[in-house]
């Protein structure tokens, strides 16, 4: 499977050639768009923030992620409806890995704002490096208990 960056003129031309060749053969093909995923820095920051929040509230990271971060603060980004052959139409949570960098930034900002306003817990911004380190330390200390 080859990946093509269609914003690159050389890749775009190679894609057209390959696509036309497969079209001429009458092949069965799969075409998917690869969206920019969140960064590893965002992922690390998110887990530190969720772990820190969990440490202060006595909840597990999984509980905080599922119920506060996804279902409560970011329902429109995470709650999806799907058809299950046995249960019919069900609502479920989509993976945060499916979010783009921009969507993840928005989701984290919503969670930080909610935590400050509703739970009265300050979660430092990613730019507050020393406070983020302290948050990571606190979350790792509580990990064995939650």
């Amino acid at each position: 499977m080859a990946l093509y960056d269609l914003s690159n003129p050389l890749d775009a031309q190679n894609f057209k050639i390959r696509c036309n060749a497969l079209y001429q053969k009458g092949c069965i093909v799969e075409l998917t768009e690869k969206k920019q995923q969140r960064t590893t820095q965002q992922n690390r920051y998110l887990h530190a923030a969720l772990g820190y929040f969990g440490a202060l509230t006595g909840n597990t990271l999984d509980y905080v992620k599922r119920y506060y971060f996804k279902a409560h603060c970011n329902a429109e980004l995470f709650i999806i409806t799907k058809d299950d052959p046995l249960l019919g139409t069900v609502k479920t949570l989509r993976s945060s890995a499916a979010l783009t960098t921009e969507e993840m930034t928005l989701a984290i900002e919503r969670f930080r704002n909610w935590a400050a306003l509703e739970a009265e817990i300050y979660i430092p911004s990613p730019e507050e490096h020393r406070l983020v380190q302290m948050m990571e330390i606190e979350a790792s200390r509580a990990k064995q208990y939650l």
Side-chain angles (χ1 to χ4, degrees):
M1 177 175 78
L3 291 177
Y4 300 95
D5 179 357
L6 299 181
S7 67
N8 174 326
L10 183 59
D11 269 2
Q13 279 304 113
N14 285 325
F15 173 78
K16 286 179 186 178
I17 292 168
R18 178 76 175 135
C19 186
N20 285 334
L22 294 173
Y23 179 79
Q24 293 298 323
K25 289 170 118 179
C27 296
I28 296 174
V29 299
E30 179 179 330
L31 177 65
T32 57
E33 178 184 0
K34 299 290 183 182
K35 295 182 180 177
Q36 181 183 8
Q37 297 295 307
R38 67 177 192 235
T39 65
T40 54
Q41 286 179 320
Q42 271 187 322
N43 192 44
R44 180 178 174 185
Y45 172 78
L46 174 63
H47 280 87
L50 298 177
Y52 176 69
F53 189 90
L56 295 181
T57 60
N59 292 298
T60 65
L61 181 133
D62 185 58
Y63 185 90
V64 172
K65 186 175 187 178
R66 180 178 297 267
Y67 295 104
Y68 296 130
F69 178 71
K70 289 184 175 185
H72 184 71
C73 295
N74 293 291
E76 69 282 352
L77 289 174
F78 288 103
I79 297 177
I80 58 171
T81 303
K82 70 180 218 174
D83 291 321
D84 181 279
L86 301 174
L87 301 175
T89 303
V90 295
K91 289 188 178 188
T92 188
L93 295 173
R94 98 188 229 218
S95 170
S96 58
L99 267 57
T100 65
T101 303
E102 293 78 21
E103 289 172 323
M104 183 56 76
T105 299
L106 175 63
I108 290 170
E109 194 60 30
R110 286 178 179 166
F111 178 71
R112 289 184 64 236
N113 290 338
W114 174 82
L117 293 172
E118 299 297 324
E120 298 179 346
I121 295 174
Y122 177 72
I123 297 176
S125 75
E127 293 79 27
E128 297 175 281
H129 302 292
R130 181 66 183 134
L131 293 178
V132 171
Q133 286 177 328
M134 294 171 72
M135 184 173 66
E136 289 174 325
I137 291 167
E138 187 65 32
S140 70
R141 283 185 187 148
K143 193 175 189 176
Q144 64 186 5
Y145 304 109
L146 301 174

